[in-house]
C-alpha cells in the first residue's frame, strides 16, 4: 500500500496527528525528490510493464538494460524479474531518479504499444495457484513496517478511546455489533473476497484499523490488548526482515551476474488443499449460524443469540498461525535468512511433502571415498598415503612425496576392480591410482564432499515425519540417503507438479530457480557460484542449517494449527455456553472474555513454538572425516 494511501486512511479516521511522529521515526531515510542526484553506488527502479515479464519479454528486458546503461553514471543495469525491479550500479556523475524513471517509462510505452496481450507472464500460476512473479512488498521496503506500525498505533488510540468511554460510561457501539468486523477478518472466504477486491496489503491494514476502531468504540480492552501483542510481533518481524535484506544488499545485488534473474512461469495443477484453519473456519461459520438460530428460537432474545453465534468465530486459530509466522520470520531474519514472501510461512501447516535437491548436499570439492588396495598392499598404509597426497581443491593433480605418487588413472583400465558398480552408485566421480616407486599399490575413488550442515538437513527430514523425496542431481547419484529418489535437473519441476497433484503442499529445498518458484514453499540455496535462487519464498544462502530449520518449522506449524483449533473449540464452546445460560448485565462481556482468553493463549502458544524452534539443538551429524587414517599433520 503506498504511503500516501496509508496516510489518507489514517487521516480519514482522525489518527494522523497521533501516528505522524511514530511513523516518521519508523522511516529511516527520506526518499530523494525526482530532481535529486542518487549519490550512492547502487539503486533500483520499479518496472510495471506487463509485457516485460515472462519468456516472451526477454528482448524487452535486454532493451531496457541497454537503454539504462547508456545513461551517464550507470555502470550496469540488470532486470530482476522476481523483484520486479531493474538493478543498477552507479558512479559519479550520478544520474537523477527522474532520468532513470523516464528511461523505464519509455521502454514500457514501447512495450504497451507493441505487445498485444503481452502480459502472459504476469501470472505465475493459474486459478489453482497462489503466487505472483513479482513481490508485492520488496524485502527492503518500509511499507510493511509502516503498515504494522499503523495497526499498532490504531490499537493504542483505540485503547485510549475505550478507557475514556468506560470512565464516562459512554458506549457508542455494542460489542456484538463491533464483532461483525471480526467476522470478515477471521473467515478466510470473506477475507479472500476483500483481498481480491483491494489487494492483500490494503486488506490487512483496513481490517486492522477497522477492528481497532470497533473494539475501541465497544470498550473491548482485552481484545485490543491481544491484538496489540500480535501487531507488535508483526512490527518486530517487518523491521528484522527489512534490516536483514538491507545489510546483505551488496552481497545479493552488488554483482551483475548474481543480480539478474529471468521470470519463471509455471502453474499449480490444483488448488492448495485447505489447512486446519480453513477447515475449522468453514465449520465454525456454519456453527455460528446454527447457534444463532437455535438460541433465538429457544430464548427469543436476538442479542443473546448474536452473542452465542459470535462466540464461535475462529479468531484464536488465526492468531495462533499469525503469531507463529511472525515470530518465525523474526527468528529467520536475525540469522540472515531473507523471507521474500511472508505469506509462504502461513502455508507451512499445509505442507506434507519435502523435496531435497541432491546438488545442495554436496560441495564443489571432492574427497576420498574409498581406497582399494591391489597386489596385497597393506590397507592401512595405502589409506594413510592416499589421504596424505589427495588434494581436495585439485583432485586431478599429480602429487609425489617420499616415493609415493597419486595421479589420475585411466578409467578403462579399472574394469577388473571389484565393487566398481557399487562405488559408482555411491557417488564416485573420479579414479586415482596410488603407486610406490612405480608399483601400483591402490585405486582411490574420489566422491563429492558433503556440504556443511547437509547431515543436519537430512536428520531434520528424518525426524519430521513427512514424506521426503531426494531429487537426483548433476553432482553424483543420490542413492544411499535413506529416502526415495525422484528425477532431478530439468525434470524436477514436473516432479513437483506431480506431487502437488497427488498430495498436499510441497516444500522444496534447491538451488534451481524453476523448482523453488513452482513449490508451495520454496527454500532457495545459493548455487556453487554464489548466485541466489531468485523466486524462492525464503533465501537461506549457503546455510543448510537454516534450511533444516524450515523443515522443522513444517511440523511445528502443523502442531500450532492443531493446538489453536483445540483452544478455539474450548473458548468458543465456553463463550457460547455462557451466552445461552448466563444471566446478568455483564453476560456479553463474560461470553466474549472466554473467546479473547482462548485467542491470547493461542497467540502465545504460536510465539512460544517459534521461539523454541530457534532454540532447538541441531540434529546430530554423522562424522565424515576419517580421522583414524589421516596423518598427524592433517
Amino acid at each position: 500500500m503506498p504511503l500516501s494511501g496509508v496516510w489518507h486512511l489514517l487521516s480519514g479516521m482522525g489518527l494522523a496527528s497521533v501516528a505522524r511522529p511514530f511513523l516518521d521515526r519508523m522511516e529511516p531515510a527520506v526518499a530523494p525528490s525526482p530532481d535529486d542526484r542518487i549519490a550512492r553506488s547502487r539503486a533500483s527502479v520499479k518496472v510495471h510493464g506487463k509485457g516485460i515479464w515472462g519468456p516472451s519479454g526477454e528482448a524487452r528486458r535486454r532493451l531496457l538494460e541497454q537503454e539504462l546503461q547508456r545513461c551517464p553514471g550507470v555502470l550496469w543495469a540488470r532486470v530482476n524479474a522476481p523483484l520486479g525491479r531493474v538493478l543498477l550500479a552507479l558512479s559519479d556523475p550520478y544520474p537523477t531518479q527522474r532520468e532513470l524513471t523516464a528511461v523505464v517509462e519509455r521502454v514500457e510505452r514501447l512495450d504497451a504499444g507493441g505487445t498485444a496481450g503481452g502480459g502472459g507472464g504476469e501470472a505465475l500460476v493459474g486459478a489453482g495457484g497462489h503466487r505472483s512473479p513479482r513481490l508485492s512488498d520488496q524485502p527492503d521496503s518500509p511499507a510493511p513496517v509502516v503498515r504494522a506500525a499503523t495497526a499498532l498505533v490504531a490499537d493504542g488510540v483505540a485503547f485510549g478511546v475505550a478507557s475514556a468511554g468506560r470512565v464516562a460510561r459512554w458506549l457508542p457501539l455494542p460489542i456484538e455489533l463491533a464483532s461483525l468486523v471480526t467476522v470478515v477478518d477471521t473467515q478466510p472466504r470473506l477475507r479472500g473476497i476483500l483481498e481480491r477486491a483491494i489487494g492483500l496489503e490494503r486488506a490487512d491494514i483496513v481490517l486492522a484499523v477497522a477492528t481497532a476502531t470497533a473494539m475501541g468504540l465497544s470498550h473491548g480492552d482485552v481484545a485490543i490488548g491481544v491484538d496489540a501483542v500480535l501487531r507488535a510481533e508483526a512490527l518486530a518481524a517487518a523491521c528484522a526482515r527489512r534490516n536483514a535484506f538491507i545489510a546483505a544488499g551488496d552481497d545479493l545485488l552488488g554483482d551483475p551476474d548474481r543480480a539478474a534473474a529471468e521470470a519463471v512461469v509455471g502453474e499449480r495443477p490444483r488448488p492448495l488443499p485447505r489447512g486446519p484453519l480453513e477447515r475449522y473456519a468453514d465449520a465454525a461459520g456454519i456453527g455460528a449460524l446454527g447457534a444463532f438460530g437455535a438460541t433465538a428460537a429457544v430464548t427469543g432474545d436476538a442479542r443473546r443469540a448474536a452473542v452465542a453465534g459470535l462466540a464461535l468465530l475462529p479468531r484464536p486459530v488465526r492468531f495462533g498461525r499469525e503469531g507463529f509466522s511472525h515470530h518465525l520470520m523474526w527468528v529467520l531474519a536475525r540469522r540472515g535468512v531473507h523471507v521474500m514472501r511472508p505469506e509462504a510461512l502461513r502455508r507451512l501447516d499445509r505442507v506434507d511433502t519435502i523435496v531435497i535437491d541432491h546438488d545442495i548436499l554436496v560441495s564443489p570439492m571432492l574427497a576420498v571415498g574409498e581406497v582399494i588396495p591391489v597386489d596385497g598392499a597393506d590397507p592401512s598404509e595405502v589409506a594413510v598415503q592416499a589421504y596424505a597426497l589427495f588434494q581436495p581443491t585439485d583432485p586431478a593433480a599429480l602429487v609425489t612425496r617420499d616415493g609415493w605418487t597419486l595421479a589420475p588413472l585411466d578409467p578403462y583400465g579399472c574394469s577388473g576392480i571389484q565393487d566398481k558398480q557399487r562405488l559408482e552408485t555411491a557417488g564416485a566421480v573420479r579414479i586415482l591410482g596410488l603407486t610406490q616407486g612405480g608399483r601400483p599399490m591402490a585405486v582411490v575413488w574420489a566422491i563429492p564432499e558433503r556440504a556443511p550442515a547437509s547431515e543436519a538437513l537430512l536428520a531434520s527430514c528424518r525426524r519430521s515425519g513427512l514424506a521426503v523425496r531426494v531429487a537426483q542431481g548433476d553432482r553424483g547419484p543420490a542413492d544411499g540417503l535413506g529416502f526415495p529418489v525422484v528425477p532431478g535437473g530439468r525434470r524436477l519441476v514436473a516432479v513437483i507438479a506431480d506431487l502437488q497433484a497427488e498430495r498436499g503442499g510441497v516444500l522444496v529445498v534447491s538451488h534451481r530457480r524453476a523448482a523453488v518458484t513452482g513449490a508451495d514453499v520454496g527454500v532457495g540455496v545459493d548455487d556453487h557460484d554464489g548466485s541466489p535462487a531468485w523466486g524462492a519464498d525464503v533465501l537461506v544462502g549457503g546455510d543448510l542449517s537454516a534450511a533444516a530449520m524450515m523443515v522443522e518449522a513444517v511440523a511445528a506449524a502443523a502442531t500450532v494449527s492443531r493446538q489453536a483449533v483445540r483452544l478455539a473449540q474450548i473458548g468458543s464452546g465456553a463463550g457460547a455456553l455462557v451466552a445461552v445460560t448466563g444471566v446478568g448485565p455483564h453476560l456479553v462481556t463474560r461470553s466474549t472474555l472466554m473467546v479473547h482468553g482462548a485467542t491470547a493463549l493461542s497467540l502465545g502458544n504460536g510465539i512460544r513454538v517459534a521461539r523454541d524452534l530457534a532454540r532447538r539443538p541441531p540434529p546430530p551429524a554423522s562424522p565424515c572425516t576419517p580421522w583414524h587414517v589421516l596423518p598427524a599433520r592433517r
Side-chain angles (χ1 to χ4, degrees):
M1 184 177 187
L3 297 184
S4 58
V6 174
W7 196 251
H8 178 74
L9 180 64
L10 289 174
S11 301
M13 301 192 64
L15 299 176
S17 60
V18 179
R20 182 186 294 274
F22 186 75
L23 296 182
D24 287 345
R25 293 184 63 185
M26 294 309 303
E27 179 60 52
V30 178
S33 67
D35 292 325
D36 289 340
R37 295 282 170 180
I38 307 175
R40 54 182 183 273
S41 60
R42 188 164 45 83
S44 65
V45 181
K46 187 176 294 187
V47 180
H48 300 281
K50 292 185 178 181
I52 290 181
W53 311 118
S56 62
E58 181 177 357
R60 289 178 289 277
R61 291 193 293 271
R62 300 290 81 80
L63 174 63
L64 178 59
E65 293 174 352
Q66 295 169 4
E67 291 296 317
L68 285 169
Q69 287 172 170
R70 291 174 182 170
C71 295
V74 176
L75 298 178
W76 54 260
R78 295 292 185 274
V79 172
N80 187 303
L83 291 179
R85 297 182 183 181
V86 55
L87 308 172
L88 308 104
L90 308 177
S91 64
D92 193 29
Y94 295 102
T96 65
Q97 188 73 33
R98 174 175 293 176
E99 292 171 346
L100 299 177
T101 304
V103 174
V104 173
E105 291 176 348
R106 185 170 69 251
V107 176
E108 288 178 340
R109 283 195 298 270
L110 291 175
D111 163 56
T115 307
E122 180 70 11
L124 180 65
V125 294
H130 55 263
R131 304 277 294 278
S132 72
R134 292 169 289 162
L135 302 182
S136 55
D137 271 333
Q138 303 297 329
D140 56 351
S141 170
V145 178
V146 172
R147 284 198 300 270
T150 301
L152 186 58
V153 169
D155 279 337
V157 174
F159 187 81
V161 171
S163 300
R166 192 179 299 278
V167 171
R169 299 183 180 274
W170 175 62
L171 184 65
L173 190 65
I175 293 179
E176 56 268 32
L177 292 181
S179 298
L180 292 178
V181 180
T182 309
V183 175
V184 179
D185 192 24
T186 57
Q187 285 291 331
R189 296 183 187 276
L190 296 178
R191 185 184 176 94
I193 295 174
L194 181 63
E195 290 174 352
R196 288 189 293 272
I198 64 176
L200 176 62
E201 294 77 20
R202 291 183 175 87
D204 281 340
I205 189 62
V206 167
L207 288 175
V209 175
T211 300
T213 303
M215 292 298 102
L217 295 177
S218 62
H219 300 177
D221 297 354
V222 177
I224 295 172
V226 176
D227 193 75
V229 175
L230 177 63
R231 304 306 173 186
E233 278 288 329
L235 179 58
C239 290
R241 174 188 180 228
R242 182 170 188 254
N243 293 337
F245 194 82
I246 291 175
D250 289 338
D251 293 334
L252 289 172
L253 310 175
D255 181 84
D257 295 330
R258 297 176 60 188
E262 301 290 344
V264 179
V265 181
E267 183 176 352
R268 201 181 197 283
R270 68 184 180 98
L272 184 67
R274 302 176 71 77
L277 186 153
E278 291 77 18
R279 293 194 295 270
Y280 178 76
D282 288 343
I286 298 174
L289 294 176
F292 174 83
T295 306
V298 172
T299 65
D301 188 341
R303 187 180 186 192
R304 185 187 293 266
V307 174
L310 292 172
L312 297 179
L313 293 178
R315 199 165 190 249
V317 181
R318 180 176 176 271
F319 272 56
R321 178 190 281 180
E322 291 293 310
F324 175 80
S325 61
H326 286 316
H327 200 79
L328 178 60
M329 183 163 66
W330 180 83
V331 168
L332 293 171
R334 291 291 296 269
R335 65 180 298 163
V337 175
H338 307 296
V339 181
M340 308 301 287
R341 291 182 176 85
E343 63 270 18
L345 302 183
R346 301 182 182 95
R347 294 194 291 267
L348 288 173
D349 61 349
R350 288 181 275 178
V351 169
D352 63 4
T353 305
I354 308 293
V355 177
I356 306 295
D357 192 336
H358 181 262
D359 283 348
I360 69 167
L361 301 175
V362 296
S363 74
M365 295 193 300
L366 298 181
V368 175
E370 190 163 346
V371 180
I372 305 175
V374 297
D375 296 336
D378 181 24
S380 299
E381 182 181 17
V382 295
V384 169
Q385 294 298 331
Y387 277 97
L389 297 175
F390 185 77
Q391 302 293 320
T393 57
D394 189 12
L398 188 151
V399 183
T400 300
R401 186 182 302 142
D402 300 329
W404 291 83
T405 300
L406 184 66
L409 194 63
D410 181 8
Y412 298 101
C414 305
S415 58
I417 297 177
Q418 297 181 353
D419 295 334
K420 178 181 178 183
Q421 184 176 1
R422 175 183 62 82
L423 293 170
E424 291 176 342
T425 301
V429 296
R430 187 175 292 276
I431 309 173
L432 304 174
L434 179 67
T435 60
Q436 183 184 29
R439 175 193 170 192
M441 300 297 290
V443 174
V444 180
W445 289 80
I447 62 174
E449 188 177 50
R450 284 290 179 89
S454 59
E455 287 291 338
L457 175 57
L458 293 174
S460 294
C461 292
R462 294 186 185 100
R463 71 183 188 183
S464 68
L466 304 170
V468 179
R469 304 289 186 268
V470 176
Q472 181 69 59
D474 300 329
R475 300 161 187 163
D479 294 343
L481 298 178
F483 300 110
V485 178
V486 296
R490 296 182 178 179
R491 299 171 62 187
L492 181 55
V493 176
V495 170
I496 294 171
D498 291 341
L499 291 172
Q500 290 172 330
E502 298 170 2
R503 305 180 62 88
V506 179
L507 182 146
V508 177
V509 185
S510 176
H511 67 95
R512 303 180 191 275
R513 295 187 49 244
V516 295
T517 301
D520 297 297
V521 180
V523 180
V525 180
D526 287 355
D527 204 349
H528 288 168
D529 62 359
S531 300
W534 295 113
D537 299 303
V538 179
L539 294 176
V540 300
D543 186 5
L544 292 187
S545 61
M549 179 184 291
M550 288 297 300
V551 172
E552 302 264 357
V554 173
T559 299
V560 167
S561 293
R562 289 194 299 268
Q563 293 172 345
V565 167
R566 286 195 286 269
L567 287 171
Q569 291 169 341
I570 294 172
S572 297
L577 182 63
V578 169
V580 173
T581 62
V583 294
H586 301 293
L587 168 66
V588 177
T589 302
R590 290 197 300 269
S591 177
T592 56
L593 185 61
M594 301 294 180
V595 180
H596 297 327
T599 302
L601 290 175
S602 181
L603 173 60
N605 183 61
I607 296 173
R608 176 191 63 82
V609 172
R611 185 187 66 245
D612 292 346
L613 187 66
R615 296 178 177 177
R616 185 179 301 177
S622 303
C624 299
T625 305
W627 300 107
H628 61 290
V629 297
L630 290 182
R633 181 179 59 83
R634 295 192 62 182

